[in-house]
């Protein structure tokens, strides 16, 4: 696992859990509003944190933490994600995974192996605006597949969208909300225009 950051304590990132956060290094998207460029642009990567450092910490905190959040970057592009999560689960922790939804097969595998307790899916935009809001040609069918997998799973999932004005407007938010059934809500995250990946789009 390429780990670009680690936060040892959080009360707000994993519902009902005291958690630590692992930030994976690397992402297949280039969302202009991304506020983690150092986890996305290879030229900004810091030397990765060794996995052993994380597991030493997790072994020592077994009775103090409930869960681990794996976020990024985009965790599902890491080839050894499943093995990494298995090792965390063996220590007795719950795991939350944040994803951009681009790798439904990985999400499916994680669910099949009963490795995830909580998901968060970041939906970036209405389908017709996806390439603009991700900064890359996006496989929309893959995102739709992940959305369906998570909607049909019994594992809790937050569906989130960052309201990156002026790239998105109120109609866009309504359209994305319409992708969810009436009993599921879209969490709108406030866009903070600070240290973003492509500031020129927000001038
Ligand atoms: S906001 Fe976009 S570019 Fe940044 S980590 Fe998430 S998916 Fe990757």
């Amino acid at each position: 696992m390429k780990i670009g950051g680690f936060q040892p304590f959080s009360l707000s990132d994993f519902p009902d859990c005291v958690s630590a956060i692992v930030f994976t290094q690397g992402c297949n998207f280039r969302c202009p509003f991304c506020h983690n460029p150092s986890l996305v642009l290879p030229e900004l990567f810091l030397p990765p944190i060794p996995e052993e450092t994380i597991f030493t910490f997790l072994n020592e905190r077994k009775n103090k933490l409930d869960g681990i959040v794996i976020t990024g970057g985009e965790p599902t592009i890491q080839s050894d994600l499943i093995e990494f999560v298995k090792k965390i689960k063996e220590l007795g922790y719950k795991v939350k995974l944040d994803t951009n939804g681009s790798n439904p097969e990985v999400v499916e595998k994680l669910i099949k192996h009963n490795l995830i307790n909580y998901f968060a899916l970041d939906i970036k935009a209405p389908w017709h605006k996806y390439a603009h809001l991700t900064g890359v040609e996006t496989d929309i069918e893959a995102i739709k597949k992940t959305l369906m997998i998570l909607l049909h799973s019994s594992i809790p999932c937050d569906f989130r969208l960052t309201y990156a004005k002026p790239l998105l407007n109120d109609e866009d938010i309504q359209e994305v909300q319409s992708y969810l059934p009436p009993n599921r809500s879209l969490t709108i995250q406030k866009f903070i225009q600070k240290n973003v990946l492509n500031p020129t789009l927000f001038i």
Side-chain angles (χ1 to χ4, degrees):
M1 284 283 285
K2 292 202 177 83
I3 300 169
F6 183 66
Q7 183 178 318
F9 182 77
S10 168
L11 290 174
S12 59
D13 290 87
F14 193 157
D16 303 321
C17 284
V18 178
S19 63
I21 308 176
V22 173
F23 297 86
T24 61
Q25 204 173 55
C27 187
N28 49 351
F29 287 1
R30 294 289 183 272
C31 311
F33 56 88
C34 178
H35 59 86
N36 268 332
S38 62
L39 294 170
V40 174
L41 302 174
E43 62 271 27
L44 300 181
F45 287 176
L46 294 171
I49 300 169
E51 259 189 46
E52 305 79 67
T53 307
I54 305 294
F55 282 106
T56 301
F57 176 90
L58 296 185
N59 265 306
E60 287 167 357
R61 293 295 198 288
K62 267 188 194 171
N63 299 318
K64 296 194 176 79
L65 292 171
D66 308 307
I68 309 303
V69 178
I70 305 176
T71 188
E74 173 50 35
T76 65
I77 65 169
Q78 304 279 335
S79 58
D80 50 354
L81 175 67
I82 294 199
E83 290 314 308
F84 182 71
V85 180
K86 275 185 184 164
K87 282 197 258 174
I88 294 176
K89 296 290 283 185
E90 279 164 16
L91 293 176
Y93 288 105
K94 293 178 182 171
V95 174
K96 172 173 178 269
L97 183 89
D98 295 350
T99 179
N100 62 21
S102 55
N103 287 303
E105 295 75 19
V106 175
V107 169
E108 236 166 5
K109 237 184 236 174
L110 287 162
I111 292 174
K112 188 174 149 211
H113 292 284
N114 204 20
L115 292 173
I116 302 295
N117 302 90
Y118 207 108
F119 280 101
L121 173 66
D122 288 312
I123 305 173
K124 305 294 182 184
W127 305 134
H128 68 280
K129 281 193 174 179
Y130 236 83
H132 193 42
L133 270 290
T134 61
V136 296
E137 279 308 316
T138 318
D139 180 356
I140 300 297
E141 293 312 312
I143 312 282
K144 288 181 182 173
K145 192 171 173 193
T146 302
L147 177 61
M148 285 304 132
I149 291 167
L150 293 174
L151 282 173
H152 289 104
S153 163
S154 58
I155 299 168
C157 179
D158 286 337
F159 300 95
R160 315 185 295 201
L161 178 143
T162 301
Y163 195 168
K165 283 182 184 173
L167 306 185
L168 293 174
N169 57 41
D170 289 353
E171 289 74 45
D172 295 327
I173 306 298
Q174 278 170 18
E175 182 170 339
V176 175
Q177 177 71 66
S178 78
Y179 301 159
L180 304 177
N183 62 338
R184 306 299 293 263
S185 61
L186 183 66
T187 303
I188 308 295
Q189 303 187 120
K190 205 173 158 206
F191 169 53
I192 299 163
Q193 195 179 327
K194 196 177 153 198
N195 189 34
V196 293
L197 198 138
N198 188 351
T200 58
L201 291 182
F202 300 98
I203 292 169

